[in-house]
């Protein structure tokens, strides 16, 4: 059987045959038939907008791999900084490379004093941390006059390093501001996740971070580091395709992540569980969802139609964390919801399973994070995924500035009516 597809334009009888490569065929085939013909594909359900070597995802089989390595193996054996190196460089680092990389990241964690004193202090006292994170990430770029030199590899790598190193500092700074707590300086002797937890929660001198909790944070960072062409990453690519700098591109991607259908879902899950309140209320809540009164947050995925491999790892991590912190009282509600939904015809038929956000919020809450910090916790590790995609895009000769077409459905030409005649 030939790996080709033949498209016939029934209006003209013209036909074109093009190769199928990796399950895709070039859309230029349509323009060969008729240069004014375009695919109509709302929300890109059937469109591959780029070629990428970073993350492999098979939604039906529940497979997620970074640069070929299964997520399960990385979550078990690796660290977030090692994974960050892998995503950016394509290969796991040697011991020397990893120690140089980790040293560089941990020595770029400070941010300019003006960021905290002038910029962050200007927010309203109850500003949402994700709104602050987005703005602060964009603002960070204004401190570096080399931020725009994106085609100078050395300069680009420097911005990547700065962003990965500084996003936890920004996140913790936003949190401390919202709590009215003094800012905790980064501690360069601590590993990445531990340093973040220290900047978040340190009160006084003797605040020790439990290694189980630091490891759980690192695992969550690994699981969230990349997920190919989701809404945020696509935003990153679209904005970077205009050659915007890495800071504003990252801020744009983070803005997409902020939405409740994307990274905001973990926050929505915990709010939903709290609203349900008790396992006895689960059946009526499920009935409400089926009758259209809202979605079961943390369920369903555009790509995973079998199970989300990240959700399985997170569920296990939740139990590790609860051993230390005590069980999150909302866990029982979550388990009951999962049990009822997985047996219900509505969810089975639509292939709706728990996604990465279903249990992550419970862990974040047990670790002591307020609900409105949850999406920020997603944005910190996803920064490396966004930057890996930006780097790949800038080196991809097939890419140009993003510019989809539209199907115009508005009025035909009509004459301007003066205001007194309308
Ligand atoms: N609860 C109830 N029904 C749902 C849900 C849900 N969570 N998700 C999808 N459906 C229904 C939907 O109403 C539709 O039903 P029908 O065919 O009768 O109209 C059908 O399932 C297909 O849904 P869809 O909206 O076409 O699916 P999608 O691929 O466009 O949406 C999604 C994917 C993740 C946006 C959606 O499943 C959803 O809104 N889930 C809840 C929010 C959530 O948990 N988001 C986190 C996603 S994972 C983290 C990330 O990558 O950002």
């Amino acid at each position: 059987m030939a790996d080709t597809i033949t498209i016939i334009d029934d209006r003209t009888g013209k036909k074109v045959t093009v190769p199928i490569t990796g399950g895709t065929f070039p859309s230029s085939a349509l323009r060969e038939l008729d240069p004014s013909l375009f695919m109509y594909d709302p929300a890109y359900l059937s469109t591959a907008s780029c070629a990428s070597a970073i993350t492999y995802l098979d939604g039906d089989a529940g497979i997620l791999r970074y640069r070929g390595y299964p997520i399960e193996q990385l979550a078990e054996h690796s660290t977030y900084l090692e994974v960050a190196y892998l995503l950016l460089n394509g290969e796991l680092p040697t011991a020397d490379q990893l120690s140089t990389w980790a040293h560089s990241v941990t020595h770029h964690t400070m941010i300019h004093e003006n960021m905290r004193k002038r910029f962050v202090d200007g927010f309203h006292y109850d500003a949402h941390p994700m709104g602050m994170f987005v703005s602060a990430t964009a603002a960070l770029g204004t401190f570096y006059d080399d931020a725009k030199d994106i085609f100078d590899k050395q300069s680009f790598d420097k911005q990547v390093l700065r962003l990965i190193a500084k996003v936890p500092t920004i996140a913790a700074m936003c949190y401390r501001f919202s709590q009215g707590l003094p800012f905790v300086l980064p501690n360069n002797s601590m590993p990445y996740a531990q340093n973040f937890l220290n900047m978040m929660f340190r009160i006084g001198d003797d605040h020790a971070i439990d290694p189980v909790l630091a490891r759980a944070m690192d695992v969550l960072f690994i699981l969230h580091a990349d997920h190919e062409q989701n809404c945020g990453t696509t935003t990153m690519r679209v904005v970077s395709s205009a050659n915007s700098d890495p800071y504003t591109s990252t801020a744009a991607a983070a803005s997409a992540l902020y939405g409740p259908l994307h990274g905001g879902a973990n926050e929505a899950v915990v709010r939903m569980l709290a609203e349900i309140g008790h396992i006895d209320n689960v059946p009526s809540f499920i009935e409400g969802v089926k009758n259209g009164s809202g979605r079961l947050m943390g369920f369903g995925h555009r790509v995973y139609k079998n199970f989300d491999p990240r959700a399985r790892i997170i569920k296990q991590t939740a139990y590790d964390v609860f051993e230390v912190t005590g069980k999150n009282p909302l866990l029982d509600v979550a388990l009951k919801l999962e049990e009822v939904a997985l047996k219900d015809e509505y969810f089975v038929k639509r292939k709706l399973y728990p996604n990465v956000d279903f249990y992550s919020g419970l862990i974040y809450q047990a670790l002591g994070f307020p609900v409105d910090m949850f999406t920020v916790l997603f944005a910190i590790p996803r920064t490396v995924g966004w930057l890996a995609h930006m780097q790949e895009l800038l080196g991809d000769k097939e890419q140009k500035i993003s510019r989809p077409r539209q199907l115009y459905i508005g009025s035909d030409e009509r004459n301007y009516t003066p205001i007194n005649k309308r």
Side-chain angles (χ1 to χ4, degrees), residues 45 227 230-231 257 259-266 269 289-290 294-303 305 308 310 346-347 350-352 355-358 378 382:
L45 287 173
H227 210 235
N230 50 67
C231 182
L257 191 73
L261 295 187
H262 192 8
N266 48 21
V269 169
V289 168
K290 286 158 64 178
R295 291 199 160 190
L296 177 51
M297 300 310 287
F299 257 68
H301 199 275
R302 172 61 59 77
V303 182
K305 300 296 177 193
D308 180 339
R310 301 168 301 171
Y346 174 96
F347 296 91
R350 289 169 179 77
K351 301 189 170 181
L352 302 171
N355 59 46
V356 69
D357 290 320
F358 194 65
F378 193 154
R382 184 54 58 85

Side-chain angles (χ1 to χ4, degrees), residues 90-104:
E91 297 298 334
L92 286 168
T94 62
D96 281 351
Q97 286 166 332
L98 181 58
S99 112
T100 307
W101 165 244
H103 182 271
S104 301

Side-chain angles (χ1 to χ4, degrees), residues 221-240:
F221 282 171
I222 292 172
L223 298 181
H224 286 90
D226 192 46
H227 210 235
E228 54 115 302
Q229 309 311 316
N230 50 67
C231 182
T233 304
T234 300
T235 304
M236 184 78 182
R237 281 182 171 264
V238 170
V239 177
S240 328

